[in-house]
Amino acid sequence: KSVVDSDNTIILSSNLLTDTYTLRYENNDGILTSYNEICTIDVIQGENVKYSSLIDENVAPIEATAIGIYNSSDEKGDEIELNALKPENLGNKLYSFAALSDVHVGAETSEEDFIRALEFANDNSLEFVAICGDLTYGGTDENLVRYKELVDEYASVPVYGISGNHEANRKYLAMDALKEYTGQDLYYSFTSGDDVFIMMGVYDNHYNQEFSDAELDWLEDALEGNKDKTCFIFQHLFQGNGSGDAIDLDVKGEKLNNERGQRFYNLMSEYKENVIWFHGHSHEEFKIQEFNEMNNYDNLLGCHSVHISSLTYPKYIDGSDLSSNYYASEGYIVDVYEKAIILKGRDFLNEQYLPIATYQLETIIE
């Protein structure tokens, strides 16, 4: 019998005939077509074959009841109970939002990628869209003008953005011009229900200048003043060798390996019980979790650390390097429940959620 064990490893029955099988989430009405396949796996009859790329935080879709196993002729060969993959203890759903990163307006496919995500937010009654930096490709006034035009024309929900390294390549753009074109400061906060969203833009794209001291002082005050609330932090850069680049292919992840970066990390650890930290920058696609289990999510600092893949040209492993994929567009739809957070990684281009990037994160704040 095929099973899901307590570590979310899928173990296929040795009784399956030799063939290539596709694993899909399903319910009583059939395959959940809104979700991509879990995996495709080769089986030799008589051997136990495992799929072990799901981590403890991975869960099945709320609407799923089982995993169907389909052979190369698309015939169902077996069915697996969800077991540990079943989402539990969520409470009532409160609201949903889109968590995006690396829009890169000005780059190839960026406009259609951004429009598609904004229209999805409109059509699915999301509360807002939050963007984890690199709103533009060149960080120029022309790029920011176009970013503003796209938001104004296509977004019917609020869009909250911050500067990434592409804006901070020209220091003033992360402050004065960012305010002019987005109406938002370098750092600011807003609320949704009882939750606080803390937006931390990149101050300057030079060593130890990613944050200003005033910005870090403000962050510390914001965290201290909201210890009794769930705090979602949006900040562009990530911790080296953790979620965002656990495979260690992008040396730019070491940007925060300095005094101010360490102060930021210390704050993430100090307030770990109520912090969910979102970041982007590396563009690494969600599927890279198959190569390293920490690439999308880790808790190295004690808090939830979540990497957002790129809305425009996510990157895939090509040998020992990363290559850009202009035929994909990824981000998260986040469902906030009373007792937990469900992250649903989405391929906006192919209009499907991604099982490898669907997670349940527990919240400490009651």
Side-chain angles (χ1 to χ4, degrees):
K1 182 177 175 61
S2 301
V3 298
V4 176
D5 71 10
S6 59
D7 295 323
N8 284 346
T9 296
I10 300 172
I11 306 172
L12 299 186
S13 170
S14 59
N15 293 324
L16 288 171
L17 299 178
T18 299
D19 202 347
T20 298
Y21 292 87
T22 301
L23 278 59
R24 300 180 183 276
Y25 285 121
E26 59 184 21
N27 60 20
N28 294 334
D29 295 323
I31 293 171
L32 298 182
T33 57
S34 59
Y35 273 78
N36 198 356
E37 64 196 39
I38 300 169
C39 66
T40 298
I41 194 165
D42 293 327
V43 171
I44 298 176
Q45 187 176 9
E47 295 184 3
N48 283 319
V49 178
K50 300 179 180 181
Y51 179 74
S52 56
S53 295
L54 301 179
I55 63 175
D56 289 345
E57 287 73 19
N58 277 117
V59 290
I62 300 294
E63 60 270 36
T65 58
I67 296 172
I69 303 177
Y70 295 84
N71 65 18
S72 58
S73 299
D74 208 26
E75 299 167 335
K76 188 172 179 180
D78 201 356
E79 183 175 291
I80 309 174
E81 295 180 2
L82 295 177
N83 296 332
L85 283 171
K86 185 176 179 60
E88 293 183 325
N89 302 319
L90 301 179
N92 294 320
K93 184 177 175 181
L94 303 177
Y95 63 94
S96 299
F97 66 93
L100 310 177
S101 190
D102 297 271
V103 177
H104 285 291
V105 169
E108 182 181 347
T109 76
S110 61
E111 292 197 12
E112 52 261 51
D113 291 335
F114 195 27
I115 291 169
R116 190 183 299 110
L118 293 176
E119 290 182 337
F120 181 88
N122 299 340
D123 295 342
N124 290 274
S125 302
L126 303 187
E127 289 292 312
F128 56 86
V129 174
I131 304 174
C132 221
D134 278 3
L135 310 178
T136 65
Y137 185 69
T140 63
D141 292 272
E142 180 183 9
N143 287 164
L144 282 167
V145 166
R146 187 56 182 152
Y147 169 83
K148 183 179 186 303
E149 289 174 345
L150 292 170
V151 171
D152 289 346
E153 182 173 357
Y154 293 99
S156 61
V157 301
V159 177
Y160 300 99
I162 54 172
S163 58
N165 59 293
H166 280 239
E167 286 76 39
N169 278 329
R170 291 169 60 189
K171 179 177 171 181
Y172 80 94
L173 278 176
M175 295 173 286
D176 296 340
L178 196 69
K179 177 76 169 180
E180 177 182 352
Y181 296 118
T182 70
Q184 295 152 354
D185 293 313
L186 174 65
Y187 49 94
Y188 60 97
S189 66
F190 64 94
T191 60
S192 184
D194 293 330
D195 303 327
V196 178
F197 288 78
I198 297 173
M199 311 296 287
M200 298 280 295
V202 178
Y203 171 70
D204 186 0
N205 194 30
H206 291 90
Y207 180 80
N208 205 32
Q209 296 296 315
E210 296 88 354
F211 304 105
S212 68
D213 289 330
E215 184 174 14
L216 290 171
D217 289 344
W218 174 84
L219 173 62
E220 185 169 3
D221 289 343
L223 290 172
E224 178 63 23
N226 292 285
K227 290 189 294 185
D228 60 339
K229 298 179 181 179
T230 297
C231 293
F232 294 90
I233 296 179
F234 280 72
Q235 188 274 331
H236 185 62
L237 304 172
F238 56 85
Q239 183 180 21
N241 300 317
S243 60
D245 192 34
I247 54 173
D248 198 23
L249 287 178
D250 185 359
V251 296
K252 291 183 288 187
E254 293 301 312
K255 279 183 175 293
L256 296 181
N257 187 22
N258 54 56
E259 180 181 353
R260 289 187 174 93
Q262 189 58 55
R263 183 182 174 193
F264 176 80
Y265 292 151
N266 290 342
L267 289 171
M268 296 300 95
S269 294
E270 182 178 354
Y271 294 93
K272 60 189 176 185
E273 291 187 347
N274 62 314
V275 162
I276 300 174
W277 168 31
F278 287 100
H279 43 83
H281 184 58
S282 76
H283 290 228
E284 292 180 9
E285 67 175 358
F286 291 130
K287 190 177 180 181
I288 290 178
Q289 182 174 295
E290 291 185 344
F291 298 90
N292 189 297
E293 64 178 12
M294 290 198 305
N295 220 69
N296 297 338
Y297 171 86
D298 74 59
N299 57 1
L300 296 176
L301 297 172
C303 67
H304 298 297
S305 176
V306 180
H307 186 70
I308 307 175
S309 180
S310 178
L311 188 69
T312 300
Y313 63 93
K315 293 184 177 181
Y316 63 95
I317 295 179
D318 184 8
S320 59
D321 297 311
L322 291 170
S323 294
S324 297
N325 181 6
Y326 287 92
Y327 300 98
S329 177
E330 296 183 343
Y332 279 112
I333 303 302
V334 183
D335 294 334
V336 180
Y337 289 81
E338 289 177 318
K339 299 180 180 180
I341 312 296
I342 297 293
L343 305 178
K344 299 186 295 188
R346 183 170 179 83
D347 181 341
F348 288 96
L349 180 60
N350 294 303
E351 300 183 329
Q352 285 186 310
Y353 293 109
L354 303 171
I356 200 165
T358 302
Y359 307 100
Q360 178 174 335
L361 305 184
E362 305 303 327
T363 53
I364 306 299
I365 304 302
E366 295 291 342

